[in-house]
Amino acid sequence: MLRPTRLALVAVAAVSLLAAGCGGKSGGSHHGGTDAAGFTPPKIPALSSLGQGEGQVNVIAWAGYAEDGSNDPKVDWVHPFEKQTGCKVNTKVAGTSDEMVNLMKTGQYDVVSASGDASLRLIASGTVAPVNTGLVPNYADIFPDLKNKPWNSVDGKMYGIPHGRGANLLMWRTDKVKQAPDSWGAVFDPNSPYKGHITAYDSPIYIADAALYLSTTQPALGIKDPYALDQKQFDAAVNLLKEQRKIVGEYWSDYTKTLQSFKSGDTVLGTTWQVIANQALAAKAPVQTVLPKEGSTGWSDTWMVGAKAQHPNCAYKWMDWIVSPKVNAQVAEYFGEAPSNSKACAETSDKTFCNTFHAADEPYWTKVHYWNTPITQCLDGRKDVKCVDYAKWTQAWTQIKG
């Protein structure tokens, strides 16, 4: 039920995306073609029909996505898949999106659970192929607001099967923070009474959180997309984070450490995930969360098939299996995220799970800006300026932390 290895989600190898000239928008449906996407993907055909399984499938996944009972005997959706399909699952757990991209480029893997910061890189480089959703029966029950999105489709073509999603939330200890916050301003206030006890996510992608906050508090900056920042907008976000550095007690990338910090009271306010909040509450820590009024950043993962997949039939069978209602529910509960299959909610062991994770709450997700990778061609559609690419986000993050 942890996300221990998703922590360094985006790193310097995002430069491979820049070299490919790839981009995308951070919200809304994607139906636009080259101009809308910012790149033209290589012409790679999708599988036309499903044939006999090849006997195995090589999977790259986040920890917790392809459990075979070795971590917990009661948590196993791999062996039932193998028994049903005859496709043996060979899983490689990846710790970062960059690792996933590099592994997929070897051509040795068939399918990958890519996050939004990796998926467009994989598409632009020709590493993954479009997906024939007609060969994935359970795709029909995927929540509509996860289909044809900027991080999983180009020019109306789906390049994967949505798996699950989550939001980055604001959490506080109710015994320490007396007035419940409703804004990210609580973690950016230079005069905060909680100085030294505030936490923030440790990644260059956190610059987007500052940009999102500035989009409402400094509208004159004209920020429309937190992943599409021109130099002026970028400088404003970086300056805000440099000021925030003075009040941050610790930056977290280790899920278990930030959980412990909130439990002990060393941290009283900051960015979190719903699963962390749930475990803190289970440990009797007096915490509460909110999706702030400015909205939040978040993630959406997609199962994608390698363009050079040696076991494409088993790969398709795996994608259909992993998003089937019962299995998608198992993964979501174990991992701590909202499932992608609308029928999964009826299969969760905790019947309040989907309400807690807002699985079917479409208005909630309209407030979440899913992670994307910044490139020089502005992802918000502007043509008259250049935006700051991710390599420079990485450099700035090093300077911010000092």
Side-chain angles (χ1 to χ4, degrees):
M1 35 194 323
L2 345 157
R3 265 184 183 279
T5 61
R6 176 188 281 283
L7 310 168
L9 258 172
V10 204
V12 181
V15 173
S16 62
L17 171 61
L18 311 179
C22 162
K25 298 175 185 176
S26 68
S29 294
H30 177 107
H31 299 289
T34 302
D35 288 342
F39 70 97
T40 302
K43 292 184 178 180
I44 300 171
L47 196 66
S48 59
S49 61
L50 197 60
Q52 187 70 26
E54 300 87 356
Q56 64 178 322
V57 60
N58 298 324
V59 176
I60 301 173
W62 295 116
Y65 272 15
E67 291 298 302
D68 62 1
S70 58
N71 291 317
D72 183 338
K74 294 180 290 186
V75 181
D76 180 2
W77 43 85
V78 165
H79 287 112
F81 168 77
E82 293 175 335
K83 183 177 181 180
Q84 177 175 307
T85 65
C87 299
K88 183 180 185 300
V89 179
N90 306 308
T91 303
K92 169 67 176 179
V93 173
T96 69
S97 286
D98 289 334
E99 186 181 357
M100 287 186 169
V101 170
N102 292 333
L103 287 169
M104 283 301 291
K105 284 185 175 181
T106 67
Q108 298 174 17
Y109 295 89
D110 304 302
V111 64
V112 59
S113 61
S115 294
D117 61 295
S119 54
L120 290 181
R121 284 188 267 168
L122 292 167
I123 296 170
S125 62
T127 305
V128 295
V131 168
N132 183 345
T133 58
L135 301 180
V136 184
N138 284 300
Y139 179 76
D141 298 317
I142 299 296
F143 287 109
D145 61 330
L146 284 173
K147 297 178 178 180
N148 290 312
K149 292 300 178 179
W151 58 88
N152 61 27
S153 70
V154 175
D155 199 20
K157 290 183 180 179
M158 282 295 292
Y159 276 79
I161 304 299
H163 171 92
R165 53 183 165 177
N168 297 314
L169 304 173
L170 177 61
M171 184 162 76
W172 68 96
R173 281 189 60 115
T174 56
D175 60 336
K176 305 290 185 180
V177 180
K178 298 304 180 184
Q179 186 170 350
D182 66 352
S183 165
W184 288 113
V187 299
F188 290 119
D189 179 5
N191 300 311
S192 173
Y194 312 110
K195 178 180 179 180
H197 299 284
I198 292 173
T199 192
Y201 189 56
D202 189 2
S203 169
I205 206 67
Y206 185 66
I207 294 172
D209 292 61
L212 181 61
Y213 174 66
L214 291 174
S215 70
T216 58
T217 57
Q218 294 188 31
L221 287 170
I223 297 174
K224 304 299 183 186
D225 181 329
Y227 307 99
L229 306 177
D230 60 36
Q231 193 64 54
K232 181 179 179 181
Q233 296 166 338
F234 181 76
D235 289 344
V238 169
N239 288 336
L240 177 61
L241 290 169
K242 285 181 176 178
E243 288 300 307
Q244 186 200 39
R245 179 69 185 93
K246 300 173 184 177
I247 63 172
V248 169
E250 63 179 12
Y251 292 94
W252 69 274
S253 61
D254 187 327
Y255 154 38
T256 58
K257 288 184 178 178
T258 191
L259 174 60
Q260 182 57 43
S261 189
F262 267 104
K263 285 165 58 177
S264 69
D266 289 340
T267 294
V268 302
L269 182 69
T271 309
T272 195
W273 294 324
Q274 185 65 56
V275 64
I276 299 173
N278 290 352
Q279 293 207 8
L281 288 168
K284 308 301 182 183
V287 299
Q288 193 170 332
T289 62
V290 68
L291 181 72
K293 60 186 179 183
E294 299 90 1
S296 78
T297 57
W299 73 86
S300 174
D301 293 341
T302 304
W303 287 102
M304 310 183 88
V305 177
K308 298 179 181 179
Q310 298 174 26
H311 314 99
N313 292 293
C314 281
Y316 268 74
K317 291 176 184 293
W318 170 260
M319 290 193 299
D320 192 49
W321 170 266
I322 204 69
V323 299
S324 60
K326 184 176 180 179
V327 178
N328 198 224
Q330 289 177 309
V331 180
E333 284 194 280
Y334 181 72
F335 192 75
E337 66 182 351
S340 64
N341 191 315
S342 60
K343 293 183 177 179
C345 292
E347 301 290 341
T348 57
S349 58
D350 174 5
K351 297 309 175 184
T352 66
F353 180 84
C354 279
N355 288 334
T356 299
F357 283 81
H358 301 273
D361 186 354
E362 189 169 341
Y364 177 91
W365 296 110
T366 63
K367 303 172 185 176
V368 177
H369 299 255
Y370 298 107
W371 281 329
N372 212 334
T373 304
I375 59 171
T376 54
Q377 182 173 335
C378 297
L379 305 181
D380 58 7
R382 285 179 291 167
K383 306 294 185 183
D384 55 338
V385 297
K386 286 187 176 181
C387 280
V388 180
D389 64 38
Y390 194 79
K392 292 180 180 177
W393 283 47
T394 302
Q395 295 169 4
W397 185 244
T398 300
Q399 296 170 358
I400 288 165
K401 291 183 63 181

